């Protein structure tokens, strides 16, 4: 049981940036590069530094970070529930109101 507590403590000690770095390292190189292209230079620097700092984390910690991420996503989205509104909002943010309406029409 003590090992479980230490795993939870390790997870609690990770910053949000370090958790993001772990998730980034689960992506393929191309996908990770695409994410980095959407960040500011300062964000890229912080995330890159964090990626080096978490490069040696154990599989249990990686799994816990991934589980935490999935739980967060589940709370924020409900695929199928309100998906139409979600898609419309994403389109509007991506291409603007007029183009979104054209695409969705």
């Amino acid at each position: 049981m003590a090992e479980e507590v230490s795993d939870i403590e390790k997870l609690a000690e990770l910053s949000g940036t370090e958790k993001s770095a772990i998730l980034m390292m689960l992506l393929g190189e191309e996908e990770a590069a695409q994410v980095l292209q959407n960040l500011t230079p300062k964000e890229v620097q912080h995330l890159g530094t964090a990626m080096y700092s978490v490069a040696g984390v154990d599989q249990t910690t990686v799994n816990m970070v991934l589980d935490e991420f999935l739980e967060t996503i589940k709370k924020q989205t409900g695929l199928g529930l309100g998906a139409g509104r979600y898609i419309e909002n994403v389109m509007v943010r991506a291409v603007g109101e007029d183009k979104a309406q054209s695409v969705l029409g």
Side-chain angles (χ1 to χ4, degrees), residues 2 12-13 21 24 31 40 43 50 57-58 61 68-70 76 85 89 93 96 104:
E13 290 174 1
M24 285 286 293
E31 292 79 12
T40 67
E43 290 169 331
V57 296
D58 58 82
T61 303
E68 181 180 88
F69 173 74
L70 292 174
Q76 293 180 4
R85 187 74 189 143
N89 289 340
R93 288 182 182 189
L104 295 171

Side-chain angles (χ1 to χ4, degrees), residues 1-12 58 60-61 64:
M1 182 95 171
E3 185 177 326
E4 184 177 329
V5 173
S6 67
D7 289 340
I8 293 170
E9 288 173 350
K10 283 194 280 187
L11 182 65
D58 58 82
T60 301
T61 303
M64 289 190 312

Side-chain angles (χ1 to χ4, degrees), residues 15-68:
S15 70
T17 303
E18 290 169 327
K19 291 175 184 178
S20 297
I22 290 170
L23 294 173
M24 285 286 293
M25 294 176 72
L26 293 173
L27 298 175
E29 289 180 13
E30 183 65 32
E31 292 79 12
Q34 289 176 0
V35 170
L36 291 176
Q37 289 174 352
N38 292 291
L39 302 178
T40 67
K42 188 170 188 155
E43 290 169 331
V44 171
Q45 181 181 15
H46 286 281
L47 191 53
T49 300
M51 289 169 79
Y52 275 108
S53 75
V54 299
V57 296
D58 58 82
Q59 189 63 46
T60 301
T61 303
V62 171
N63 291 342
M64 289 190 312
V65 169
L66 188 54
D67 288 344
E68 181 180 88

